Amino acid sequence: MKIYNTLTRKKEIFKPIEENKVLMYVCGPTVYDYLHIGNARPYVVFDTVRRYLEYKRFEVKYVQNFTDIDDKIIARANKENKSTNEIAEKFIGEALKDAENLNIKPSINPRATFVIDEMIELIKRLIEKGYAYEKDGTVYFDTVKDKNYGKLSGKNIEDLIAGNRILQDENKKNPTDFVLWKPYKIGEPKWESPWGLGRPGWHTECCAIVKKYLGDTIDIHAGGEDLIFPHHENEIAQSEACSGKKIANYWLHNGFINVDNEKMSKSKGNFFTIRQIAEKFSYETIRFFILSVHYRNPINFSDEQLEVAKVSLERIKTCLFNINFMLEKLNGEEKEKEDLYAQCDKYVKLFEENMDDDFNSAGAIGVIFDLVRFANTNVNDNSSKKFASYVMNKIINLCDILGLKFNFEKNSNYVIIKLVRKRTEAKKNKNWVLADQIRNELLDMGIVLEDTPNGTRWFYK
Ligand code: AMP
Ligand code: ZN
C-alpha cells in the first residue's frame, strides 16, 4: 500500500511502526460554530482511510482533538454572554451529531483544555532545552534554534524571516517565532503556570494530545492542507525539539472544498453547514460527494455537483434493491460457472488496487460502478440465489469500506419496492386498473418502471 507523504512529497510504501497496528491523529475543528462541508472533508476522508486500514486488518488507534480554547470561541462566548466552556460544549455536541450522521466511526476526542498540565510540562521542557524563551509572561518558540524548521512545508527559514521583516511583536527574537503560552487578558479563560496566569497557544495542544494518547512517534498525522503551515510545521518543531524523535512518519493532507474557487471558510462567510446541505441532500450523498474526488484534489462545491452525486448513488442503490427484490423469487439451484464468480471477484481486487494507491476513493467508486454494471448484466431471474446474493454482498461490502451504508428497511426505496410488488401481484390477478394506478403513483415519485421477461425493474427518471 502506498501513501503520499507531504513530508517527503512522494508516494511511499506504508510501513507502520508496529506490525498490524496504526497510530493515527487527525487535527479536529475549533468549536465555535456548526461544522461546514469543508470541515466535513477531513472527517469523511480520514475516517475512510481508517476504515480501509481496518479492512486490511490493521488495528487502528484513532485520535482527533477538539480545539476548545481559541480567540474565536472567546469572542463568541463574550458576544453571547456565556462561558467559553458552554460554547465549546454546545458545538462539540453538534459536531458529534454531524459526525454520526456522516457515519464517522467513533474515536478518542480529547479537548485542548483536558491537557493544560501536559502542555505546561512540554513548554517547560522546551525552555530547559533552550528552544523556548519567556518575555513578559509570553513564551515563544525560537524557530532559529530549530535547524529543521520548514521541513514539512518546504519553506526556508531565511526566506521566512526576510518575508516578515517588520517585527509585529517586539518581544520576539525572530519574526518567525511563535507563541507557546500567552498571558491572561481580562475576559479570557486562564490557568496558573510558571509564567503567570494565561492560556496556551494553539499548536501546543496537538503535541500534548499526541504524546499523551499515542506516544512520541505515531504513524499517520493528518488534517486539511491549510494546516501544513504554520500549524503542522510548528507541531513538528515543538514535539521533535522536546522528544528528540520524529513525531509522525506519514503526513496526510486533504485538499480544500472551494466555493467559486475560493476556500470555504467560516471567517470568509462563504460556507454551508453540513446540516443546511442535509436538508436538501442525504448525509450519504454528502459522504459520497466527498469521496468521489481524490482526497488531495480540490472540490468545487455546488448544488449541481451534489445532484450528480445523488443520481450516481441512486444507481448503486437501484441495483442493490433490484437484486434484493429478485432474491425472494430465486431458488437455490446453482447454474453459474465458476468463472462468473471469478469475474465478480476481479472487481474487489481492482477496488483494492485503487485504495492501495494513496486511498484513491474516486477510482474505487469507479470500480463499484463497473461491478454494478456487471450485476445488472449478470444477475437476473435465471440466476441462482447464491450467485445473486454473492454479487449483492460484494457491492455492499465495498460500499461499506467507504462508509456508505444501505439500510433496506429504513430507506425510502423500501416503499418503492413494496409498491412494485403490489403492482406485480395486481398484474398476476389481471387487475390492470390497480397496476396502472400504481405505475402512475410511482411515476409521480420520479420512478420509471420497465417490465422485462425477468420481472419488473425500476429506475429514477
Ligand atoms: P478548523 O475548524 O478551521 O480548524 O478546521 C477543522 C478541519 O477542517 C481542519 O483539518 C481544516 O484543515 C479543515 N478544513 C477547513 N476548511 C476546509 C475546506 N474548505 N476544505 C477542506 N478542509 C477544510
Ligand atoms: Zn493540530
Side-chain angles (χ1 to χ4, degrees), residues 143-270:
T143 46
V144 171
K145 284 268 167 65
D146 176 8
K147 296 293 162 256
N148 294 316
Y149 193 74
K151 72 173 176 182
L152 179 72
S153 52
K155 292 181 195 291
N156 168 303
I157 188 114
E158 285 86 28
D159 293 347
L160 282 170
I161 291 175
N164 284 283
R165 277 257 165 264
I166 308 146
L167 264 188
Q168 278 168 351
D169 178 346
E170 304 238 307
N171 286 338
K172 276 188 187 180
K173 283 194 199 162
N174 315 291
T176 43
D177 292 354
F178 57 89
V179 172
L180 300 174
W181 186 267
K182 44 182 116 179
Y184 168 61
K185 278 201 243 148
I186 293 169
E188 293 192 354
K190 55 187 183 301
W191 288 267
E192 299 265 5
S193 84
W195 319 284
L197 285 177
R199 64 184 170 100
W202 170 34
H203 316 298
T204 315
E205 70 183 71
C206 294
C207 304
I209 292 171
V210 167
K211 191 173 166 58
K212 179 169 178 179
Y213 292 86
L214 296 166
D216 281 335
T217 305
I218 63 172
D219 297 297
I220 295 176
H221 195 125
E225 68 183 13
D226 51 335
L227 301 184
I228 298 175
F229 190 86
H231 183 55
H232 286 162
E233 196 70 71
N234 292 351
E235 271 190 49
I236 291 181
Q238 292 171 70
S239 291
E240 301 193 359
C242 186
S243 71
K245 295 179 198 152
K246 205 171 171 186
I247 173 177
N249 288 330
Y250 301 87
W251 287 85
L252 273 68
H253 293 99
N254 66 269
F256 292 145
I257 292 192
N258 297 320
V259 182
D260 298 328
N261 296 317
E262 218 188 339
K263 182 195 164 206
M264 183 186 289
S265 72
K266 278 174 247 178
S267 53
K268 283 195 206 116
N270 62 346

Side-chain angles (χ1 to χ4, degrees), residues 27-56:
C27 291
T30 308
V31 278
Y32 68 101
D33 209 336
Y34 293 99
L35 298 184
H36 58 68
I37 186 158
N39 301 133
R41 194 171 189 190
Y43 266 99
V44 169
V45 158
F46 299 117
D47 175 71
T48 306
V49 166
R50 171 202 186 153
R51 284 171 182 270
Y52 189 64
L53 289 168
E54 287 176 346
Y55 167 75
K56 298 278 268 188

Side-chain angles (χ1 to χ4, degrees), residues 5 7 12 55 73 88 107 112 115 137 164 181 205 233 255 271 311 331 355 358 361 365 392 397:
N5 189 352
L7 190 64
E12 294 174 6
Y55 167 75
I73 302 175
S107 59
V115 289
N164 284 283
W181 186 267
E205 70 183 71
E233 196 70 71
F271 68 92
V311 172
N331 61 41
M355 291 301 279
D358 192 28
S361 58
I365 286 174
M392 183 170 104
N397 290 346

